Amino acid sequence: MSIERPVINSGVPHSARIWNYWLGGKDCYEIDREVGDQIASANPAILDIALAQRAFLVRAVEYLVGEAGIRQFLDVGTGLPTANNTHEVAQRLVPEARIAYVDHDPVVLVHAEALLTSTPEGATDYIDADLRDPESILEQAAKTVDFTQPIALILLGITAHITDDSVYDIVGRLVDALPSGSYLVLCDDTEVLNPQQMHEMIEQWNEASDNPRVNRSPEELARFFDGLELLEPGLVSVSRWRPGGSGEQAAEVDDFGGVARKR
């Protein structure tokens, strides 16, 4: 797949590159590191949130592949590739897994080739589309995943970028297109544990970044799962969603999420 490379302004901070920096990646510029450090200084918990969200992704994909038998993933708002991307986790367990990544970020577009790796038995693809255009996502994703078979829809930290209530209809349209037996994996930031720091962080983010966000309450996040069967332990801090063995209890973070099954 040949991908046209857009022009990137390295003097303007960008949310995908900042997040990549927090995860320990190197696909960022000095301005991204500066703003990332400023935000982390105001709210040190953001570093824990970034790591906890990635760990949640790994555990959720491992569950979906290993226990739920899912072989297809639609990962919307994938961001810059780092370690343990969806296809890497899934295809380690089942080489035939198929993954469609979706993002409309010009920075991610440049690095899309890194996502387009797959085992010979499986498939990965990258779709240049905006969450605000679910019809385009569904049309293009159908080239990689089979909408007559169960699919896991992954929305991690992406719904916050749609700051009004239209986001519920958008996510609902994607979920409606999934067949019975599919799953929704979703998480985003809240202001539960450290409300002042999280609120100040979002204000600083919106001042510095080109992609505004909003924090939602757990009750607002729960609306995304309406009509679905929310798996145990429910909608929780992502570090508390089925943590590792031996009774591990990871510290809670202000990023809440869950996994739900479509009946």
Side-chain angles (χ1 to χ4, degrees):
M1 178 178 177
S2 177
I3 297 175
E4 183 180 352
R5 294 178 175 272
V7 176
I8 295 174
N9 187 345
S10 61
V12 176
H14 200 284
S15 58
R17 298 194 307 253
I18 294 171
W19 198 259
N20 178 266
Y21 172 56
W22 286 334
L23 285 172
K26 301 184 183 302
D27 295 316
C28 51
Y29 297 109
E30 182 62 31
I31 187 63
D32 305 305
R33 293 187 286 272
E34 289 178 4
V35 172
D37 287 342
Q38 290 171 8
I39 294 174
S41 177
N43 181 18
I46 190 60
L47 302 177
D48 292 331
I49 288 173
L51 295 173
Q53 188 182 105
R54 179 53 55 124
F56 169 61
L57 170 67
V58 172
R59 296 195 305 276
V61 172
E62 288 177 342
Y63 164 79
L64 291 168
V65 171
E67 296 188 43
I70 294 296
R71 299 294 181 265
Q72 303 186 109
F73 295 84
L74 178 56
D75 188 340
V76 182
T78 181
L80 286 165
T82 55
N84 286 321
N85 300 294
T86 299
H87 74 282
E88 294 172 327
V89 178
Q91 291 181 346
R92 277 200 298 264
L93 299 173
V94 284
E96 67 270 23
R98 305 179 68 85
I99 297 90
Y101 289 106
V102 181
D103 212 303
H104 79 295
D105 189 316
V107 182
V108 177
L109 184 60
V110 168
H111 294 272
E113 290 97 334
L115 293 175
L116 298 178
T117 59
S118 175
T119 58
E121 302 91 335
T124 64
D125 196 9
Y126 174 85
I127 297 168
D128 182 18
D130 193 323
L131 178 60
R132 295 172 179 83
D133 188 2
E135 300 305 326
S136 177
I137 291 174
L138 295 171
E139 178 183 357
Q140 296 185 69
K143 301 172 185 176
T144 304
V145 297
D146 180 358
F147 279 87
T148 69
Q149 300 297 319
I151 298 168
L153 171 63
I154 299 178
L155 299 169
L156 302 190
I158 181 65
T159 56
H161 287 298
I162 300 179
T163 57
D164 59 30
D165 282 355
S166 68
V167 69
Y168 296 109
D169 290 335
I170 292 169
V171 173
R173 175 67 188 98
L174 294 174
V175 172
D176 287 346
L178 304 177
S180 176
S182 294
Y183 288 80
L184 171 64
V185 183
L186 183 147
C187 71
D188 237 319
D189 289 343
T190 67
E191 297 180 2
V192 174
L193 303 174
N194 300 289
Q196 182 175 350
Q197 287 185 340
M198 291 299 292
H199 185 74
E200 290 176 354
M201 182 199 72
I202 210 73
E203 289 184 335
Q204 189 168 8
W205 179 290
N206 291 341
E207 289 176 3
S209 176
D210 60 353
N211 199 1
R213 293 177 58 88
V214 63
N215 292 331
R216 290 189 166 93
S217 69
E219 292 75 20
E220 289 171 321
L221 292 178
R223 287 181 57 187
F224 290 112
F225 298 101
D226 284 351
L228 304 176
E229 178 187 354
L230 191 60
L231 305 185
E232 292 294 337
L235 179 68
V236 295
S237 171
V238 292
S239 56
R240 294 297 177 91
W241 194 88
R242 304 191 179 193
S246 303
E248 175 190 342
Q249 289 295 316
E252 288 188 280
V253 295
D254 258 316
D255 192 85
F256 277 49
V259 178
R261 183 177 185 272
K262 183 175 181 180
R263 299 180 181 89

